[in-house]
Amino acid sequence: MSYRKSSLFSCLAIPAFSCLLFASCTSAGPSVADGDDNGDAGGQGCLAVNAPCDATVPCCDGLTCQSGICTDVNECALGTDNCDANAACTNTADSFTCACNAGYSGDGVTCTDVNDCALGTDNCDPNAACTNTAGSFTCACNAGYSGDGVTCTDNDECALATDNCDANAACTNTAGSFTCACNAGYSGDGVTCTDVDECAATANCDVNATCTNTAGSYTCACNLGYSGDGATCTEIDECAPNPCQNDGTCTDGLSSYSCECLPTYEGTSCEACEGSLADCNGRTSDGCEVNLQSDASHCSACDSACAAGEICSNGGCQDPPSGQVPGTPTSVSAPHNPLAPAVADVNKDGELDILVANAESGSSTTPSGSLSVFHGNGDATVQPELYTTGAPLSSNAVVAVDVNGDGWLDAVTVDGQTNLPTSNGSISVYRNLGPSAPGTFGAPTSFTTGTPGSVHLCAADFDLDGVADIATTSVTLNQVSVIMGTGGGSFGAPTLISIAATGGVQSTIACRDLNGDGSSDLVVTSPGSARLSILLNQGNGSFAAPAAYTNSANGQTAGIAFGDADGDGKLDILSNGAAGRYLFFFRGNGDGTFASGVQSTASSSAIANSALGVVASDFNGDGKLDAYILVTTSSGGVRPMTGNGNGTFVAGPVVSTGTSPGLNAIAVADLDADGYDDLVLTNGGSGTLTVIPNGL
């Protein structure tokens, strides 16, 4: 904008120096020159530029008298213009102009700031932020970009490591920013990532593998007994190849195997012979056939022979003793009124165990029987008693036999009471729990004998059907009861066979093949008639009529033992009798017939004895059959009867067991596997089980 300069009042009457002081004065009249360029007023009302000052004529508007001439006033310099503060003042001849500065708009007197950012007239980068300022603007690159605002370049935060992603996340650069994503195996928003426990949910390990969580992942490892990569695991067959030696049978387990050894072998892999046995001929077919403790041809070592006439005892050669050499008796508690023992390996550990039938109560109102088991340690000592109740009457005797064909020996007791003449006896079957608890027994199942007063029993497969059968004696009605097994541990109805004068609690029964036909026959003693009765098996489980054999002294016959007493190679029968005075020898003919009993004196006077009162073996190693007779005096003991090899015997002094008031029954077995049989005795009166080891 331009402006006309004018005076505030006329200076015609004011001296020239006065006009100099009032540069803005204007005349009331026209401010024009006279047109002749001589600087005079020409008769006009004011002086033009460069006109000499005249005291009577003022300078025209916008001029001031300086240095004697009328000069133009610079209003812009003097600040007398009225331009806006945001405008530029430009002096002109006699005036000035106002123009708004860049960034402002208006007439110069009034200027308004122009918002370049809003109008889009800025030159900021598309990725920059424009900020309006007074008369201008600024550009600043947005977050994620760098530059001067006019030019902005995307920042790669992932490469610059200026992102805030978790260490277990992947950073992805984006235009002006970045994203974070948790790595596989982690969960979260990418800024914070937490390890995922795949084992808790998503792992694909095999069911037979163990999952282990790791940082961001997991591992699978097949469990012990399995092989594979963990995702797929296959059970390892530890039986391939067969680790069992000496023809043992291998059973695969989980990370294990078990070997069922042939008889006489032992060890985890059936690699050794039992105890002091040895396989001196190197043939698996006949097992460990030599006992190095007692074999004179292999004493202490294979092919280490003793001199002629010597025996091997405890692995050393010596002359045989003239009599029997019983060791020191050892007794353990058997608190359930033990009546009779039996010896067998019922837990398959290669050591013989002892079963005992107990007469818990002989009461007519509360009769009961039970079974005790003492596992052997292999050294003629036993472990603490295992005890099972449940027999309906007093249990008088026991046998170990596999009644159900599972390969584990079960226990069968005969139960009966002479004070209950109208109550039939029973057999109680205690099943061996087998692999789950070897050598322990479940509650019994009972089967009737069909006759009262059942006291003794034996077991055999009478009908050759592969199933065990049982025979018992009735001392009340002079009968034998034959009970055939039906399989699975069950038994059928009994068959009763009468035998004259069988009565008496000392009437014993035994099962043995007497004539070599492969079928078990029956031997029964008849104490009241002083005789031995033989019932030959007809090959189908039925029996011929009893054949009776008396003894020469007409003395009582009670216990039964077998062996070759006269060295003729044929089976003979021994029985004690006549109140302990004699040992009777019934010579066998090899065809199931026998000669009458011939006595050897055991005592000069009668001594009460009991039904299972005699056992036979070569107790002194001289190759001749010896015997022990049970003595049931108040002190209790056994009497050795040393065989002469011709059916006669020499009595020795009674060996006391130290228990009282007397013994009930006797059994024989090699409990310490030294090659010489030991004695097992029960004593119901003192509640003890006694072992007398052989002293050889």
Side-chain angles (χ1 to χ4, degrees), residues 249-441:
T249 300
C250 183
T251 300
D252 182 42
L254 185 57
S255 187
S256 65
Y257 68 90
S258 61
C259 293
E260 183 174 353
C261 303
L262 293 178
T264 70
Y265 289 104
E266 65 181 6
T268 303
S269 301
C270 305
E271 72 279 4
C273 290
E274 292 179 352
S276 57
L277 297 179
D279 184 7
C280 290
N281 62 11
R283 292 198 302 263
T284 303
S285 58
D286 59 358
C288 301
E289 79 285 357
V290 174
N291 192 323
L292 301 178
Q293 292 292 303
S294 57
D295 192 298
S297 297
H298 307 277
C299 191
S300 184
C302 290
D303 300 323
S304 176
C306 296
E310 290 184 331
I311 66 170
C312 180
S313 174
N314 295 306
C317 296
Q318 65 177 58
D319 291 330
S322 57
Q324 298 169 69
V325 187
T328 302
T330 302
S331 297
V332 297
S333 175
H336 303 287
N337 193 26
L339 287 192
V343 182
D345 180 8
V346 295
N347 60 355
K348 290 190 177 182
D349 66 350
E351 316 295 352
L352 290 176
D353 311 307
I354 301 174
L355 309 178
V356 177
N358 301 311
E360 292 276 359
S361 171
S363 166
S364 61
T365 56
T366 59
S368 64
S370 62
L371 172 71
S372 294
V373 180
F374 298 84
H375 289 152
N377 296 317
D379 57 359
T381 65
V382 295
Q383 300 173 26
E385 175 192 46
L386 300 176
Y387 173 63
T388 308
T389 62
L393 297 172
S394 294
S395 297
N396 302 303
V398 61
V399 292
V401 60
D402 182 4
V403 298
N404 59 351
D406 65 354
W408 292 85
L409 291 175
D410 308 299
V412 181
T413 61
V414 59
D415 317 310
Q417 294 179 200
T418 57
N419 65 336
L420 298 175
T422 60
S423 297
N424 286 341
S426 63
I427 58 171
S428 291
V429 178
Y430 296 81
R431 297 276 292 274
N432 195 324
L433 298 182
S436 63
T440 59
F441 297 85

Side-chain angles (χ1 to χ4, degrees), residues 49-153:
V49 174
N50 296 323
C53 294
D54 187 326
T56 61
V57 180
C59 295
C60 289
D61 287 345
L63 302 178
T64 183
C65 184
Q66 291 184 359
S67 302
I69 61 175
C70 290
T71 302
D72 182 51
V73 176
N74 187 343
E75 294 86 353
C76 296
L78 295 175
T80 57
D81 63 278
N82 63 343
C83 294
D84 189 272
N86 294 305
C89 178
T90 302
N91 190 63
T92 62
D94 300 337
S95 186
F96 62 91
T97 60
C98 297
C100 291
N101 296 336
Y104 293 89
S105 64
D107 57 3
V109 176
T110 301
C111 293
T112 304
D113 181 50
V114 175
N115 190 340
D116 307 87
C117 298
L119 294 174
T121 57
D122 63 279
N123 62 343
C124 294
D125 190 271
N127 294 306
C130 177
T131 302
N132 191 64
T133 63
S136 187
F137 61 92
T138 61
C139 300
C141 292
N142 295 335
Y145 293 87
S146 62
D148 57 7
V150 176
T151 302
C152 295
T153 304

